[in-house]
Amino acid sequence: MIMENKFNIRPARADEAGLVLEFIKKLAAYEKCADEVVADEATVYQSLFVERSAEVLFAEEDGEVIGFALFFHNFSTFVGRKGLYLEDLFIVPEKRGKGYGKALLKHLAQLAVERNCGRMEWICLDWNKPALKVYRSIGAIPMDEWTVQRLDETELKRFAEAERSDSQT
């Protein structure tokens, strides 16, 4: 139920790395983990616009950026094709409930189909009931039997070094 305002979804431009970082920080604040953001504008620029590790879409209402989605391709061995992995989706609080988040999801789904992706996946915090409601409404299925596993940068380096040492003995 997007309002009659002019709504647009467009790719982020290289000169908007700072705006991407701003939205990453807004999302982190919403998720109660603002202190975990260590990225800076230079890192965002390098990762998105030089290395092209991920892509960003901005949602605009009347020319004002009101949300973003950051995504990249992964690969499913079971499906045998790439997938679209949605890392971040955020709509500013005052614009929620108008269908903008769902419109971004639909745009991403269309992009995934155009790119011959076998699936689209993302993670949602279990306390984010409004988002979970939207995801159920579009047919997303929770993967209750799976848990996310992570090695942060410190543990990643520690493990990589331990493996190197172990393999040399």
Side-chain angles (χ1 to χ4, degrees), residues 34-57:
D35 59 327
E36 293 181 30
V37 177
V38 296
D40 59 21
E41 188 173 339
T43 303
V44 169
Y45 177 83
Q46 179 70 28
S47 295
L48 296 179
F49 302 106
V50 177
E51 297 171 6
R52 300 200 182 280
S53 301
E55 298 175 59
V56 171
L57 296 174

Side-chain angles (χ1 to χ4, degrees), residues 74-83 112 115-119:
N74 57 10
F75 188 83
S76 168
T77 55
F78 291 3
V79 176
R81 298 195 332 251
K82 66 184 171 186
R115 294 181 181 185
N116 195 33
C117 294
R119 58 172 66 147

